[in-house]
Every structure is written in structure tokens, then in C-alpha cells.
């Protein structure tokens, strides 16, 4: 990792910061403002959750067109446009006095923060790294835990001083005045060459016996890349896509209804900050460690582990227990799962389909993943409004997730491209 950082610090830190600055559009951050926003606008939580879900789903529909733009336009132009849009979304939320403005603000920050910022950084990593792609994704994925440690503390401080409106105003201004010039400078010095891996990143098999299967880790440099139309005709695509939606879907529901969960178990909210710190640290450790494993062994076994850890966290959320044990264990399971997921899911699609059209392919995938993320808060809110307990909801969800956890393993037995 040190050698990689010395060789390509600018692009790696660009990717890290691009993910770090996604916070204003991420569920973990927005959940901190939920109570203040819907009480200020005098709406029931189900209405608020419905707006959030609808905005997320509609924003996800634009990820495939966004991916196509990333495939065909210079990174600097993309960076400039999406940074301005992120700031605009924050400003709209800061000024929101109606349901339509809340919806529009959520739509923009979810599209850019949860979607296009991440799509831009991961696409650049996939196009410029091959031999060390797992390690590179491990490093930039540290932007998630760094964001989850720093942004909540800033949010709590600003909420106590200036309230939720001025908080989003400040985050919008920081996007323009800090993020944009810093990221532009890093991109300027990244030495990107369109259509080429960085020197030393190529993996070319100079000798391969006839009929020998190419290992998935080598595939994107030795076989032609798939187009989106070829991807959607691939039978392996859909079960892997279904499995990939599980972590963001479940975690979105858990985080959005965090206050309700803590109240149901009589967990002190003071432990939430401690738990989020534990979550971020564990996430960083697993994100940093999984890259080398995936580069050597492939992504399938970690993929199964990701879903099992999500199921375990959901079961803990359902059963509760002693706060001093349950809370850090709950957050540790989530952190380990999402730390690995950020790396594994970026590798598995490249192993299957190559890098040439990866922006549009991942944009199409993001439509489903981010759309499902938006679905989670609303049905849970409706069930709560109807009187169902949060414990019963999460218990049923945990059982379903356990049942779906072995999809990647089954598909890998049927598709040699995913063998390990």
C-alpha cells in the first residue's frame, strides 16, 4: 500500500476525498437531521420517509445516464458539474419550507452524494489500476469511515449552534470552497492517460495452455469488455445484482430508523456516537485489509461474508440485549460488512465485464442498488405507523437476509468467471 501511495498519491487521494465529501447525501448523515426537519415542517415521519424514498428512487434512475457521461467526458468537466449540483442540493435543503423543496433537495443530494460522486471516483480507479485495483479501492474506501467519524461530530455541533438549515448551508459552501479547488488540483496532477492503465498495472498472461480458464482477476486485461446490452443478457448478472442490493437496502433502513431502534431497546443515545465511532473504525480496518485478499483470491467468499454480517447486525437490532454489548457488536457487524462491500462490489463487476464501459454498467447497477436503498425507510415507517414493533420488523428482515446470503456462492459454482 505504501508503494502504491508513493506512486499515485494524487488519484488515490482524489478518490478518497470524493467519497469523503459524499456525506451530505448519505443516509447516515441525513438521519441526524430527520427529527428536526420533519418536526419543523409539521409532517408525520411516514410522509418524510416517503419523500426521501421517492427522491432516492427517482435519483437512481439517472445513474445510468450519468455513467455514460463519465465514460465519454473528461473527468474535470464531470467534477465541476457534479460539485456545483451537490452544493445546489444543500442550498435547496437549507431554504426548504415546503414538501416540494424538501423533495428536490433530497433528490439532488442523493443523486450526487450517494451516486455520482462514488461512481466518478470508482470508475477512475477501475480504469487506471489493474494489478493493484483491490488495494486502490481499499484506500479510497477509507473515505467512508473518515466521513462517518468527522461529519456527524460537525453536524451535532452545528445543529446545537445554528440549527439544521444553516448546517446544510455551511455544508453547501464547504463543497464549493473546499472540495472543488482541492479535487481539481489533485486531478490536475494525477497523470491520467485515457484508455491506459498506469505503468506497471498491466497483468498480461504471456503463456496460457489451450482451453485453460482465465482467472477472473486477469479477465479485464485479457478479454474484450462487455457492453451494457451484453450485460443485461447475461444470466449471472441478475442474481449477483440482487445480492449486491442487500447491504445498502438493509443498512439504509437500519440507519434511517436509528432513533426508533434505540428507544425500543431503551439504549442510551449517548452510545450512538460511541457506536458510530466503532462502526467507522471497524469499517476502515476491513476496507483496508480486504483489498489484498481480493487481489489474490477473488471477491466471492468476502461477498458471502458481507451479507452474513448484515444479517447478524439485523438480528442484533431485532433482539436487543445489554447495551454495553449489543451496541458495539451491532455497529461492528455493519462496519465490517460495509468496509468489505465498498471494495468487493467494485471488483466483481470489473472481473465480469471489463473496464471499457464500466461507467455506464455501474450506473445501471446503481439504479437498482440506490433505488432499493430508497425503498427501505418507507415500508418500515408505514409498518411502525400501523403499530408493528421495530423488533418484529427487523427479525423478519434478518431471516430473509440469512436466506439470501449464499446467492454469490451458488452463482460462482455455475459461472466459471466467478470461480475461486
Amino acid at each position: 500500500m505504501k508503494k502504491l501511495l508513493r506512486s499515485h498519491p494524487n488519484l488515490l487521494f482524489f478518490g478518497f476525498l470524493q467519497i469523503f465529501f459524499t456525506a451530505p447525501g448519505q443516509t447516515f448523515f441525513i438521519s441526524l437531521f430527520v427529527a428536526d426537519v420533519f418536526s419543523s415542517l409539521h409532517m408525520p415521519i411516514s410522509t418524510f420517509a416517503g419523500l426521501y424514498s421517492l427522491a432516492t428512487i427517482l435519483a437512481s434512475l439517472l445513474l445510468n445516464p450519468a455513467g455514460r457521461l463519465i465514460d465519454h467526458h473528461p473527468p474535470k468537466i464531470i467534477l465541476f458539474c457534479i460539485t456545483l449540483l451537490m452544493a445546489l442540493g444543500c442550498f435547496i435543503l437549507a431554504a426548504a419550507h415546503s414538501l416540494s423543496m424538501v423533495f428536490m433537495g433530497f433528490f439532488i443530494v442523493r443523486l450526487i452524494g450517494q451516486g455520482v460522486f462514488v461512481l466518478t471516483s470508482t470508475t477512475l480507479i477501475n480504469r487506471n489500476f489493474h494489478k493493484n485495483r483491490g488495494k486502490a479501492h481499499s484506500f479510497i474506501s477509507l473515505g467512508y469511515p473518515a466521513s462517518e467519524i468527522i461529519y456527524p461530530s460537525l453536524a451535532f455541533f452545528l445543529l446545537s449552534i445554528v440549527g439544521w438549515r444553516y448546517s446544510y448551508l455551511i455544508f453547501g459552501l464547504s463543497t464549493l470552497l473546499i472540495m472543488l479547488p482541492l479535487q481539481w488540483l489533485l486531478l490536475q496532477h494525477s497523470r491520467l492517460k485515457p484508455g491506459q492503465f498506469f505503468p506497471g498495472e498491466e497483468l498480461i498472461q504471456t503463456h496460457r495452455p489451450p482451453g485453460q480458464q482465465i482467472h477472473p482477476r486477469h479477465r479485464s486485461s485479457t478479454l474484450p469488455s462487455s457492453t451494457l446490452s451484453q450485460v443485461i443478457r447475461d444470466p449471472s448478472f441478475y442474481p449477483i445484482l440482487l445480492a449486491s442490493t442487500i447491504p445498502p437496502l438493509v443498512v439504509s433502513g437500519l440507519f434511517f430508523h436509528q432513533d426508533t431502534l434505540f428507544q425500543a431497546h431503551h439504549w442510551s443515545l449517548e452510545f450512538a456516537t460511541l457506536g458510530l465511532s466503532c462502526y467507522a473504525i471497524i469499517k476502515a480496518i476491513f476496507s483496508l485489509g480486504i483489498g489484498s485478499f481480493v487481489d489474490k483470491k477473488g471477491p466471492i467468499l468476502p461477498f458471502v461474508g458481507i451479507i452474513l454480517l448484515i444479517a447478524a447486525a439485523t438480528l442484533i437490532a431485532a433482539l436487543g440485549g445489554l447495551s454495553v454489548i449489543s451496541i458495539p457488536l451491532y455497529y461492528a457487524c455493519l462496519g465490517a460488512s460495509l468496509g468489505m462491500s465498498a471494495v468487493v462490489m467494485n471488483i466483481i463487476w470489473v472481473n465480469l465485464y471489463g473496464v471499457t464501459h464500466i461507467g455506464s454498467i455501474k450506473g445501471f447497477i446503481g439504479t437498482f442498488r440506490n433505488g432499493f436503498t430508497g425503498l427501505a425507510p418507507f415500508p418500515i415507517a408505514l409498518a411502525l405507523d400501523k403499530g408493528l414493533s421495530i423488533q418484529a420488523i427487523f427479525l423478519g428482515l434478518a431471516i430473509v437476509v440469512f436466506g439470501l446470503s449464499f446467492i454469490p456462492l451458488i452463482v460462482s459454482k455455475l459461472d466459471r468467471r466467478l470461480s475461486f
Side-chain angles (χ1 to χ4, degrees), residues 1-9 12 129 131-132 135 191 199-201:
M1 184 65 77
K2 289 181 180 179
K3 183 178 179 181
L4 197 65
L5 277 171
R6 285 196 299 268
S7 301
H8 308 290
L12 289 173
F129 292 94
K131 185 173 68 175
N132 294 294
K135 295 185 186 72
R191 295 177 294 155
E201 283 297 316

Side-chain angles (χ1 to χ4, degrees), residues 138 141-142 279-292 309 332-333 335-341 343-344:
S138 285
S141 295
L142 292 175
Y279 162 82
I281 292 169
I282 295 295
K283 189 174 183 179
I285 292 170
F286 275 78
S287 176
L288 196 58
I290 196 63
S292 296
L309 283 166
C333 288
S337 177
L338 294 191
M340 291 192 292
S341 179
V343 177
V344 169

Side-chain angles (χ1 to χ4, degrees), residues 34 70 172 180 204 285 292 346 396:
V34 166
I70 292 169
L180 182 57
I204 301 174
I285 292 170
S292 296
N346 279 299

